[in-house]
Structures are given as structure tokens and as C-alpha cells.
Amino acid sequence: MAQTLRLEQSVPPQHPDVLKAAALKRMKNIALALLIFMAVVFCFAFALQPRFPWLAYVRAAAEGGMVGALADWFAVTALFKYPMGLKIPHTAIIPNRKDEIGASLGDFVETNFLAEEVVSQKLATTHIAQKVGTWLTKPGSADRVTTEGAAALRGAISVLKDDDIQDVIESLVRKHVMDPPWGPPVGKLAERIFADGHHHALVDLLVDRSTTWIQANHDTISGLVTDRSPSWVPVFVDGLVGDKIHTEIYKFARAVQDNPHHEVRLQLDKYLKDLAQELQHDPAMIAKAEDIKAQVLGDPEVRELAGRTWETIKTALTDAVDDPTSELRLKFTSAVHDFGSRLVSDLELAGKVNKWIADAAAYLVGTYKHEITSLITDTVERWDAVETSEKIELQVGKDLQFIRINGTVVGSLAGLAIFTVATLVFG
């Protein structure tokens, strides 16, 4: 009764607990009213029995009903509290054995609900992949997944500290770029490129550009000859020599350009291949490559590179998730929708996904089922004993009151039957 008053004062009238408390109160009143009714009937029948002998049967029924009602009242009450405040042994079972009940409930759930075979069998018949695929193909579902994913990514970006990310990037650059020597891998890559002749296109480009420049810069070449000739040489001689030099250089460049097997090209190929070998095997050349690496990427440069890399990634991701029309979001939405379609139409893929889900669930249950059920045990242990009793009574107390009502009815019938049989037998 006190519990009902507390609930009515602390929660809204339509709250489920208030409704349950009201129903519990109503059933208690019905059971009590039935007990009082049996007591009144017993008193009248007992008093009038000498004048009306047939009332003995009514008295016996009322007497049995009172015994049944009182016995079941004691049994129901003993679950949740001490009957009439008397600390009778084996009463107030729930408050006194709260922790044992919580542990038993946890063990029951762990054994019967979180068993690997139970979870695997249930998931095998659920067809989660097909259901998820059907949902993803519905209009708006892929957009919703994208929106939620964008929110999660935005939250992750805001939580991450720039300095920590830069430290991670810097450590990765140092581990995979700075610490390993550059010479051997660069030489091995160059050797493969030179062996396959992929550098010839670059050589052709350089030769073509050089030939074009020589042809278009006659005055520049002649001017170089004039600037470097002695002052006593006549000007017209400088002009003739400059023209000759320009002509010969241009002819030489055209010869290199037109002949894929020109000696210059062959020597250049030999030089590049030798350089690739030296980068791999010559300690002096390897040391030079390391010096170049140190000059290009020192500590400040690496730190700056890490900072610029993270800022670029962060800005790109932030702009992409904030813009509903960004290419990243559109492609992700399309990929989600396509994946859902494949889950529905591709039975092999759906089977693999279902098996993966079942295996993952079985692993989680097998590994962490004790931690999962400890939530029940720990929660019950934290509850106050009286509060626990009230919570449980609120959930099942209404049904338990039917035990009192049934006990009253059954007791009445039993009392009447016993008295009738005894009367018939003994007179």
C-alpha cells in the first residue's frame, strides 16, 4: 500500500508502474474482501447452526475458505516481507535472498539463452543478411545510413586531437619512409623500369624539347660564342663560328632524336642501369642517397608534412560529410544501396554474411557471456533489498493475488467436501 502511494506521487498517472500498482492494489482488496466475506458467513452459520442444521455445511465451506485464504495469504506475503512483521523462519524470501536470486537468474540466462548453439540456431533461421538487404534497398534507407555514418565520422573527427593524429602520421612516415634506406629500393625500382624500357618515353620527351629549344634559340647560342671569343677576333668571324656551332648542335640533336639506337641513347641507358646497380650495392652511392634524403626530409620537414597531411584529410572529410551533394556521400550512398541489392539477390553472398554474423555472435557469446550476465547479477546486488522486493511484487504481485482468491475458493470446496464425507461416514 505504501509502495502504491509512493508511485502515485512520484510518476505520472499513466506510467506503466502506476497502472501496475493500481491493479495490484485492486486485486489485494478483492482477495481481502473475499476473506472477510468467508469470515462473516462462518460467523452467521456457526451462530445459527443449532436452529438450522443444514448451515453446518455452509459453516464447513466458509471455514475451509478462511483456512485456504489465510494459508495462501501467508505464502504470498512470505515471498516479499515478514507476515505482520513477525520474523518467522523462511519468510521475506526475496529481500533476504536477493543476491542469490540475481545470481541464479544470471546463471539461468547464461545457460539457456546465451549458449553458442542456441544463438547459432536462432541466427541461422533469421536470415539477417536478407532482411538488412531488403531494408537497405528501400527508398531513404541508404540515405539514412549515409547520414548516420556522416554524423559518426564528424563526431570522430571532432573528438580526435590534431597533435595525436599528427604524431601517428609522423611516426608512420619515420617508420616506413625515413628509417629504411632509400638507395636499394629506389635502385631496384629503377632497374625494373630501365630493363622494361619505360624510361625511353621520358628520354624522347627530353630530346624533343631540347631539339626544339636549340632550333628556336639561334641568337642565344651565337651570343654565347661572341661573349666568350677573344676581343681581337672580328665580329663577322664570331658570327660565322656561332652559326656553325648552332648548326652542328642542331644536327647532333636531330640525329639523337631520329635514331633510337644512337650512341648517346645507348650510353644514357648504360649510365642509368649502372646507377640503379650502384644504388643497390655501392655503399658510397647508398650513403649519398641517404644524405639527399636527410637534406630533403629533416625533422622540421617531416613534422610539417604530417601536419599538412592531416589538415588536408580533415578538411576534405569535413567538407564531404557536411555537403549532401558531395561525391563521397553520393558514392557511399550508392555503394550502400548496391550492397543491399546484392544481399537480396546474391544467395552466396547472403549466406557468407549470415555465416559471418552467426560466427561473430557465437564467438562473442562464448567469450563474453559471463560478462553479459554479470549485468543482471551486479544490478540486482546494487538494489536495496526492500526496493527489490517491491519491484518484483509490482511485476508479478497481481497474478499472485489470484493464488489467494483460488485458495479461498478451493479451501471452501475442500472444507465442504471433507465435512460432507465425514458426515456420511460417521453420521
Side-chain angles (χ1 to χ4, degrees):
M1 192 75 68
Q3 176 195 16
T4 304
L5 292 175
R6 287 198 300 271
L7 284 171
E8 292 177 347
Q9 294 172 358
S10 61
V11 297
Q14 296 303 318
H15 192 278
D17 287 348
V18 172
L19 299 178
K20 290 180 180 178
L24 174 61
K25 179 181 177 181
R26 183 168 59 254
M27 292 305 300
K28 284 184 176 180
N29 291 336
I30 293 173
L32 178 60
L34 191 58
L35 172 61
I36 294 174
F37 174 75
M38 289 294 174
V40 172
V41 171
F42 173 79
C43 291
F44 276 98
F46 188 83
L48 298 176
Q49 179 180 342
R51 293 178 56 186
F52 306 99
W54 59 269
L55 287 177
Y57 291 93
V58 177
R59 176 192 60 79
E63 187 176 13
M66 285 192 299
V67 172
L70 290 172
D72 287 338
W73 166 82
F74 182 88
V76 172
T77 302
L79 289 173
F80 305 103
K81 61 189 75 174
Y82 293 113
M84 296 183 296
L86 301 176
K87 294 187 177 181
I88 302 173
H90 304 292
T91 58
I93 295 174
I94 291 177
N96 290 331
R97 300 191 61 189
K98 168 181 67 70
D99 294 344
E100 290 87 341
I101 293 173
S104 299
L105 180 60
D107 292 339
F108 177 78
V109 172
E110 179 177 340
T111 302
N112 296 278
F113 293 94
L114 295 181
E116 293 185 35
E117 59 274 10
V118 173
V119 175
S120 298
Q121 291 174 3
K122 180 61 179 177
L123 291 176
T125 60
T126 304
H127 304 297
I128 295 178
Q130 289 87 339
K131 292 181 178 179
V132 171
T134 302
W135 181 80
L136 289 176
T137 56
K138 293 180 179 179
S141 297
D143 291 333
R144 181 176 177 182
V145 173
T146 302
T147 301
E148 297 298 333
L153 182 58
R154 189 185 303 109
I157 292 175
S158 63
V159 169
L160 294 174
K161 295 182 179 180
D162 292 345
D163 291 340
D164 294 340
I165 300 299
Q166 292 176 12
D167 289 341
V168 172
I169 296 176
E170 183 179 357
S171 64
L172 291 175
V173 171
R174 292 188 181 280
K175 180 179 180 180
H176 298 285
V177 178
M178 294 298 297
D179 293 344
W182 281 14
V186 171
K188 188 173 183 180
L189 177 62
E191 181 182 13
R192 187 177 306 166
I193 293 174
F194 300 152
D196 294 338
H198 296 306
H199 65 294
H200 290 156
L202 178 60
V203 172
D204 290 340
L205 176 63
L206 294 176
V207 172
D208 292 343
R209 294 298 299 271
S210 300
T211 304
T212 302
W213 184 88
I214 293 171
Q215 184 181 16
N217 289 270
H218 174 274
D219 295 340
T220 302
I221 297 175
S222 297
L224 291 174
V225 174
T226 302
D227 293 339
R228 285 164 175 75
S229 65
S231 58
W232 50 267
V233 176
V235 176
F236 74 92
V237 176
D238 291 337
L240 293 175
V241 173
D243 291 341
K244 183 63 174 177
I245 292 177
H246 174 266
T247 301
E248 293 300 325
I249 293 177
Y250 178 69
K251 287 171 61 178
F252 178 78
R254 283 300 304 271
V256 175
Q257 184 182 29
D258 296 337
N259 184 7
H261 303 289
H262 194 280
E263 184 64 24
V264 172
R265 290 177 179 269
L266 298 178
Q267 290 299 322
L268 180 60
D269 285 350
K270 182 178 182 304
Y271 170 78
L272 293 176
K273 292 178 180 179
D274 291 344
L275 178 62
Q277 292 297 323
E278 291 175 357
L279 285 172
Q280 296 180 72
H281 308 294
D282 186 359
M285 183 59 71
I286 294 175
K288 289 181 180 180
E290 291 302 298
D291 291 339
I292 295 173
K293 178 182 71 175
Q295 294 174 11
V296 174
L297 292 178
D299 289 339
E301 288 79 10
V302 172
R303 185 64 182 175
E304 183 180 358
L305 174 63
R308 288 201 308 268
T309 302
W310 169 238
E311 286 298 327
T312 302
I313 296 174
K314 181 178 179 181
T315 301
L317 289 177
T318 303
D319 293 342
V321 299
D322 289 338
D323 183 7
T325 61
S326 67
E327 184 177 359
L328 177 62
R329 290 191 58 156
L330 294 177
K331 286 186 177 296
F332 184 78
T333 302
S334 177
V336 171
H337 186 274
D338 292 343
F339 180 68
S341 299
R342 288 193 60 195
L343 287 178
V344 175
S345 60
D346 191 340
L347 297 180
E348 183 179 359
L349 175 62
K352 290 181 180 179
V353 173
N354 285 329
K355 185 178 184 306
W356 180 83
I357 294 174
D359 292 343
Y363 171 78
L364 292 175
V365 167
T367 306
Y368 300 104
K369 61 182 179 181
H370 183 69
E371 286 75 8
I372 296 173
T373 55
S374 67
L375 177 65
I376 299 174
T377 306
D378 296 342
T379 301
V380 173
E381 287 180 354
R382 289 195 299 269
W383 283 349
D384 177 73
V386 176
E387 179 186 4
T388 303
S389 178
E390 292 178 349
K391 285 179 180 291
I392 297 177
E393 184 180 12
L394 188 63
Q395 301 301 319
V396 301
K398 176 185 174 181
D399 295 327
L400 292 179
Q401 298 309 310
F402 281 106
I403 296 177
R404 295 176 57 187
I405 296 173
N406 293 335
T408 304
V409 175
V410 173
S412 299
L413 297 176
L416 177 60
I418 293 171
F419 181 77
T420 300
V421 171
T423 302
L424 293 175
V425 173
F426 299 104

